Amino acid sequence: MYNLKAHFYNPYINIPCNIGPTHPKYGGNTMAKEGYNPFKMAQEQFDRIADELELDEGTREFLRNPRREYHFTIPVKMDDGHTKVFKGFRVQHNDARGPSKGGIRFHPQETIDTVRALSMWMTWKCAVADIPLGGGKGGIICDPHDLSNNEQEQLCRGWIRQVAPNIGPVQDVPAPDVMTNAQHMIWMMDEYEAVSGGRYPGTITGKPVELGGSLGRTEATGYGVVYMLREALKEMDVEIEKTTASIQGFGNVARYAAELYIEYGGTIVSVSSWDQSDKKAYSFYKKDGINLKELLDITDRFGSIDKKKAKKIGYEVLPGDDWLTHDVDILIPAALENAITKDTVKDIKNSVKLIVCGANGPINPEADDILDDRGVVVIPDFLANAGGVVCSYFEQVQSNQNYYWTKEEVLGKLDNKMTDAFYKVWELSQRKKIRVQDAAYMIAISRVVEACKLRGWI
Ligand code: NAD
C-alpha cells in the first residue's frame, strides 16, 4: 500500500550520508555552539550505559551514530521577488523498532549536531515508552518571525520535496517542534500527498484535529508527567492528596500537569513564567495553592502570566528562580533546559522528595549528582515527557487506519502506556539500586540493541 519509493527514487537528490558525525564535509562539530556540543553529550551518555551493558565495539559504533542523514538546500522565491536559499536536514538515528519519529525545528541557530543529538534521544524515548518507532529529527535554518506565511509555506513544501522519498508512514514520521506548528504540518502533509498521489495522513503527526490530528494531544505531555508522578508517589508510599508541588513554566506541559495534579488532590504553591517586556522570569506564589482557572485567565498565548493582575488577585510575584525554593514535596521543571544547576540546587529544600522533568534537560549533570546524594528521586525527561510522543504514535495509528478514537480512549491508552513504562524502569532501578535515569537508559538501549540483533544488523 505504501510503496512510495517506486514513485520517488531519484539518485541525484537526498543521497544518504553515513559518514561519521564529525566529518568536516558536513560541518561536524564546528556548527555546534562553542563549548557545548549536544551530540557529543548524547554520545557520552550512550557510552556510559554501553559500558554498563557491556556492549561490543561494533554495536557501540552502530548506535552512537545516526543511520542516515539528509542535507539539502531549499530555494524559496521571497515575496520581494528574490530567491533565498535555506539549508535543511533530516536525521534518522535508528529505525530498528519501527519508522523513525521526531519533530522538525525551524531555528536560526540550528546545527546538524543538535539535530543528530535530538534524533538519538528520540530513539531512546520511543524505546523506553515501548512504542514501535525509531528516532529521527529534522530542521531548517531559518527564523519564521522574518518570513511571511507564503514564504513559510514554500519552505515546508520545499523541505518535503527533498525528503519525500525517505519519509512517510512506513519510513519516518515528522511532527511539529521548536517554532513549527499544525499549519506547517498540514502544508507538509499536503505536499507529500501531492507528490505521492494518494492520501497518507499517517505521514506526519501534530495535525489539527479537523484533519487527522488526535484528541488528547494537547493534554498528553502534561498528563503523562502526572501519571509518572502518581505512580512514583505510590511506590514511595506517599499519598498524593497530602502533597504540595512547585512548577517552573506555565505553558502547554506545565498547565496540563497542574490540571491533573490538582484533580488528583495535590496543591501547587508556585508556578513561574517568562515576562517578555521585562525580559526575565517571575514566580507566582500562593501559600494555600494556586487556582488554575484564575491564573489561566490572566495568561497570554505564550504562557506568560500578567504580573500586575496576579498581584491584584493575591499572588506574591517573586524572582524567576523562587519556584524551586519552597518547602514542597515535588518539583516539576516544565519550562526550559538547565533550570536546576549546581548553583541553584542548593536552594532546593530538604522537603523535596521527587522531581519529575517535564522540560527537556532541566537538570544539569552536576546538580543531578547532588540530588542523587540527597536521595531525591528524579524521573528523567525522556521518560517523564514521553506522553507527547506516545500520543503522536496514537495519532499515527488512527491516521493509518483512518478511524479515530474518543479523547477518553486516547487518554486511557496513554495512562496505560506511561504507567507500564514507569514500572519497567522503576523495577530495574530498585533491583539494581541505580538512578531512575540510568535504568531508563538501560531499558531503552537494550530494547534497541535487541531489535537490531533480531534483524541481524549487528
Ligand atoms: P510552551 O512554550 O507552551 O511554554 C513554555 C513556558 O515556559 C511558558 O509559560 C513560558 O513563559 C515559560 N518560561 C520560559 N522561560 C522561562 C524561564 N526562564 N523561567 C520560567 N518560565 C519560563 O512550551 P511547552 O510545550 O510547555 O514545553 C516546555 C518544555 O517541555 C520544553 O523543554 C519542551 O521541549 C518540553 N517538551 C514539550 C512537549 C510538548 O508536547 N509540548 C513534549 C516534550 C517535551
Side-chain angles (χ1 to χ4, degrees):
M1 183 184 173
Y2 290 125
N3 186 14
L4 295 171
K5 263 221 155 102
H7 297 283
F8 280 122
Y9 184 66
N10 174 345
Y12 299 105
I13 58 166
N14 299 334
I15 300 162
C17 163
N18 281 321
I19 298 172
T22 52
H23 195 285
K25 188 176 173 188
Y26 293 103
N29 294 339
T30 55
M31 290 177 75
K33 262 186 262 163
E34 214 185 316
Y36 172 71
N37 184 324
F39 184 49
K40 206 161 164 278
M41 192 174 123
Q43 288 186 314
E44 281 166 8
Q45 276 171 343
F46 168 76
D47 291 342
R48 204 167 53 79
I49 303 299
D51 287 345
E52 290 289 321
L53 293 171
E54 298 178 8
L55 297 183
D56 62 81
E57 259 324 298
T59 303
R60 285 170 193 240
E61 190 55 24
F62 185 59
L63 290 178
R64 70 199 300 284
N65 293 302
R67 284 219 79 191
R68 286 176 288 276
E69 297 188 1
Y70 306 96
H71 300 232
F72 45 89
T73 52
I74 308 167
V76 170
K77 286 250 158 47
M78 305 297 276
D79 293 348
D80 65 5
H82 85 285
T83 299
K84 189 167 173 178
V85 181
F86 294 85
K87 192 161 172 40
F89 310 106
R90 185 71 184 171
V91 176
Q92 295 163 352
H93 172 257
N94 191 284
D95 55 1
R97 287 174 48 87
S100 305
K101 182 92 194 82
I104 304 164
R105 295 152 47 97
F106 282 1
H107 204 284
Q109 273 98 41
E110 188 66 295
T111 72
I112 184 60
D113 275 342
T114 308
V115 182
R116 285 171 178 143
L118 291 166
S119 75
M120 189 193 273
W121 283 322
M122 282 305 293
T123 302
W124 313 141
K125 187 186 272 203
C126 292
V128 80
D130 203 12
I131 51 178
L133 296 170
K137 208 72 170 190
I140 301 178
I141 304 177
C142 72
D143 189 343
H145 296 105
D146 302 336
L147 300 170
S148 70
N149 273 353
N150 168 53
E151 291 161 348
Q152 291 184 46
E153 179 175 348
Q154 284 192 63
L155 253 190
C156 290
R157 292 186 186 276
W159 191 89
I160 285 291
R161 284 198 296 275
Q162 292 304 302
V163 294
N166 310 104
I167 64 157
V170 295
Q171 283 172 285
D172 180 359
V173 184
D177 207 299
V178 172
M179 288 204 265
T180 53
N181 58 34
Q183 178 61 72
H184 297 117
M185 296 308 108
I186 284 300
W187 285 327
M188 288 185 172
M189 185 189 82
D190 185 67
E191 189 65 24
Y192 184 86
E193 293 185 338
V195 287
S196 60
R199 290 286 174 255
Y200 300 103
T203 300
I204 215 149
T205 62
K207 304 181 293 289
V209 172
E210 299 76 25
L211 215 48
S214 179
L215 293 168
R217 175 63 188 87
T218 318
E219 295 86 348
T221 308
Y223 277 22
V225 164
V226 176
Y227 297 142
M228 293 271 151
L229 178 157
R230 180 193 65 201
E231 298 308 317
L233 288 179
K234 272 187 208 159
E235 289 302 306
M236 294 160 74
D237 234 353
V238 177
E239 287 175 57
I240 196 164
E241 301 84 355
K242 294 189 179 152
T243 60
T244 51
S246 187
I247 301 185
Q248 187 191 37
F250 203 54
N252 172 265
V253 180
R255 67 180 65 168
Y256 285 103
E259 181 179 273
L260 191 60
Y261 174 69
I262 291 172
E263 202 178 302
Y264 285 153
T267 304
I268 298 167
V269 298
S270 177
V271 297
S272 67
S273 77
W274 180 255
D275 188 295
Q276 188 55 26
S277 50
D278 292 0
K279 301 264 182 292
K280 59 180 181 178
Y282 290 100
S283 298
F284 300 83
Y285 175 76
K286 204 175 218 181
K287 189 167 168 279
D288 299 331
I290 64 154
N291 177 318
L292 193 59
K293 187 179 173 311
E294 70 182 10
L295 272 188
L296 284 173
D297 286 345
I298 56 166
T299 302
D300 69 15
R301 66 194 172 92
F302 303 107
S304 296
I305 302 169
D306 186 316
K307 56 184 188 305
K308 281 195 191 120
K309 290 183 181 159
K311 257 185 204 159
K312 262 194 198 150
I313 55 173
Y315 288 82
E316 278 182 59
V317 180
L318 299 158
D321 275 345
D322 186 79
W323 71 280
L324 54 68
T325 65
H326 299 289
D327 270 315
V328 290
D329 305 290
I330 303 157
L331 294 178
I332 308 177
L336 72 176
E337 68 281 359
N338 261 328
I340 302 175
T341 63
K342 75 172 187 342
D343 298 324
T344 57
V345 72
K346 61 181 180 326
D347 298 327
I348 296 178
K349 294 277 184 326
N350 286 334
S351 59
V352 173
K353 308 169 184 68
L354 175 66
I355 302 182
V356 191
C357 300
N360 287 323
I363 307 180
N364 83 4
E366 288 158 314
D368 218 3
D369 290 344
I370 296 169
L371 291 165
D372 188 48
D373 289 345
R374 284 171 53 176
V376 179
V377 174
V378 176
I379 312 288
D381 51 5
F382 75 110
L383 176 64
N385 69 28
V389 75
V390 170
C391 197
S392 295
Y393 160 61
F394 293 158
E395 175 177 338
Q396 198 206 351
V397 171
Q398 294 170 80
S399 288
N400 286 344
Q401 63 183 3
N402 218 355
Y403 178 75
Y404 292 86
W405 309 334
T406 63
K407 188 164 160 182
E408 290 66 37
E409 208 173 342
V410 172
L411 293 176
K413 287 182 199 296
L414 179 69
D415 192 348
N416 289 343
K417 265 282 176 215
M418 296 298 284
T419 302
D420 201 42
F422 170 82
Y423 278 105
K424 293 272 175 2
V425 171
W426 185 260
E427 187 276 324
L428 184 67
S429 90
Q430 296 296 297
R431 182 159 48 83
K432 289 196 162 258
K433 300 200 182 342
I434 54 176
R435 292 182 202 186
V436 178
Q437 167 156 316
D438 289 353
Y441 268 121
M442 283 172 100
I443 286 177
I445 292 171
S446 303
R447 282 179 179 157
V448 177
V449 169
E450 183 63 15
C452 294
K453 284 209 167 113
L454 283 169
R455 284 177 183 276
W457 289 355
I458 50 175

